[in-house]
Amino acid sequence: MITMKDFIYDGHPLLRTVVNEVKLPLGTEDKETMQKMLAYLRNSQDPKLVKKYKLKEGVGLAAPQIGLNKRIFAVRTEDEQGQLHEYVLANPKLVSHSEALTYLSKGEGCLSVKQDIPGIVPRYDRIKLTGYNIEGDLVEIKAKGYLGIVFQHEIDHLNGKMFYDHIDKNHPLMPPPGAVAIE
Ligand code: K2U
Ligand code: NI
């Protein structure tokens, strides 16, 4: 079971690394890792387990955050319509995206960043990505709004990027012109 002791934090070189693709077809170990990462998100969204294991709630988790040099992430969150989405993908690729931008009006946080870093994080409003699911099938996912933001946050982790890299240092609270806010 993944707990907070498995996490690495900002300053660790793996969070600034473009991590390696996993070998296909998916092996048992990588499938187990994918299962454990999704289980972490489920556990972190269960108040009883949060209390019992002192977990930090997460809606996304990328393998480098638990010290693994692998292109794997998990996402578990509801969208604006309250629909629950659970994904765990290996070797994800951002295939296309809108020109239009969006952002969370309260900014973003990160399980691997202990301090709050205020600022607008511009994200694409709509994205299309592909990746291999735990069954080893290549899947295509279209996402927008909040779910799309979570995917982009996790893909960043696989490419050694942190959310605050996207904050305008001179105008941290100024949204990009035309970007749509998500409250
Ligand atoms: O990758 C991570 O550090 C997980 C982040 C994902 C995230 C995505 C988009 C915007 C902010 C963060 C954690 O989920 S941060 C904690 C959290 C928990 C519940 C809701 C939002 C953020
Ligand atoms: Ni993060």
Side-chain angles (χ1 to χ4, degrees):
M1 171 187 179
I2 296 172
T3 62
M4 301 324 291
K5 68 173 176 23
D6 299 303
F7 278 75
I8 62 171
Y9 292 93
D10 210 5
H12 189 296
L14 195 57
L15 290 172
R16 289 304 187 180
T17 301
V18 177
V19 295
N20 298 325
E21 292 211 329
V22 299
K23 198 166 157 307
L24 298 171
L26 290 172
T28 311
E29 194 178 325
D30 287 336
K31 286 184 178 179
E32 276 170 12
T33 297
M34 293 169 81
Q35 198 57 49
K36 284 178 181 173
M37 289 172 65
L38 185 57
Y40 176 82
L41 297 180
R42 289 174 177 159
N43 296 343
S44 80
Q45 295 172 18
D46 176 333
K48 284 195 287 308
L49 295 176
V50 164
K51 190 170 165 53
K52 183 173 180 185
Y53 296 104
K54 297 184 176 41
L55 304 178
K56 290 248 182 302
E57 183 184 0
V59 294
L61 176 65
Q65 293 182 274
I66 51 172
L68 297 176
N69 189 327
K70 291 177 178 284
R71 298 187 78 80
I72 298 173
F73 70 66
V75 165
R76 184 181 202 265
T77 189
E78 290 185 359
D79 61 21
E80 285 89 340
Q81 287 69 44
Q83 171 80 35
L84 175 65
H85 294 267
E86 281 192 336
Y87 295 100
V88 53
L89 291 179
N91 301 345
K93 286 187 173 34
L94 185 61
V95 175
S96 63
H97 60 77
S98 60
E99 292 277 303
L101 298 175
T102 186
Y103 62 96
L104 294 179
S105 52
K106 296 187 182 68
E108 295 186 14
C110 181
L111 292 174
S112 295
V113 178
K114 292 186 177 175
Q115 74 276 26
D116 282 344
I117 303 179
I120 300 293
V121 180
R123 298 289 188 185
Y124 300 121
D125 184 38
R126 294 179 305 284
I127 60 169
K128 181 161 71 173
L129 64 149
T130 60
Y132 290 87
N133 64 17
I134 201 158
E135 288 76 30
D137 303 321
L138 184 62
V139 296
E140 179 181 284
I141 299 162
K142 289 180 182 172
K144 62 182 177 359
Y146 182 68
L147 180 63
I149 289 172
V150 178
F151 277 127
Q152 291 171 76
H153 181 112
E154 301 314 324
I155 291 172
D156 270 356
H157 276 308
L158 305 184
N159 295 322
K161 291 196 189 116
M162 302 295 281
F163 73 91
Y164 56 79
D165 298 347
H166 301 281
I167 297 173
D168 182 326
K169 288 168 186 50
N170 300 318
H171 308 285
L173 301 180
M174 186 182 290
V180 175
I182 294 179
E183 303 308 326

